[in-house]
Amino acid sequence: MKSRRQHLAIGTAIVTFALAMFVTSCAQKPAATPELVIGVYGSLTGSDADFGQSTKKGVELALEELNSRQQGLIGGLKVRTVVEDDQG
């Protein structure tokens, strides 16, 4: 079983990947202010939940760091995440 530190490292790597590849907007109507939405899709329940939960925690940790260092902005856009469970 991987250590917690390894899980957070993997989660951080996934966040980096998500920033590059999975920038989408899930809003039903146009947002009042432009924002950068990062989608995270993983196994939060089921047999692979350990990996999915660590990924989610890594994303949350990266967002906390972004908020503390850059007021939650990338390229002047506010960042938020959307986390979905694939129930794997």
Side-chain angles (χ1 to χ4, degrees), residues 7-67:
H7 283 281
L8 287 175
I10 291 170
T12 303
I14 290 173
V15 168
T16 303
F17 180 74
L19 283 171
M21 301 302 293
F22 296 109
V23 178
T24 61
S25 177
C26 297
Q28 297 292 355
K29 59 183 179 179
T33 58
E35 63 182 353
L36 177 66
V37 181
I38 299 172
V40 180
Y41 186 69
S43 298
L44 302 175
T45 57
S47 61
D48 293 327
D50 287 339
F51 180 73
Q53 289 293 334
S54 66
T55 300
K56 180 182 174 200
K57 289 177 185 175
V59 169
E60 291 169 352
L61 181 64
L63 191 57
E64 285 176 24
E65 185 173 333
L66 177 69
N67 285 330

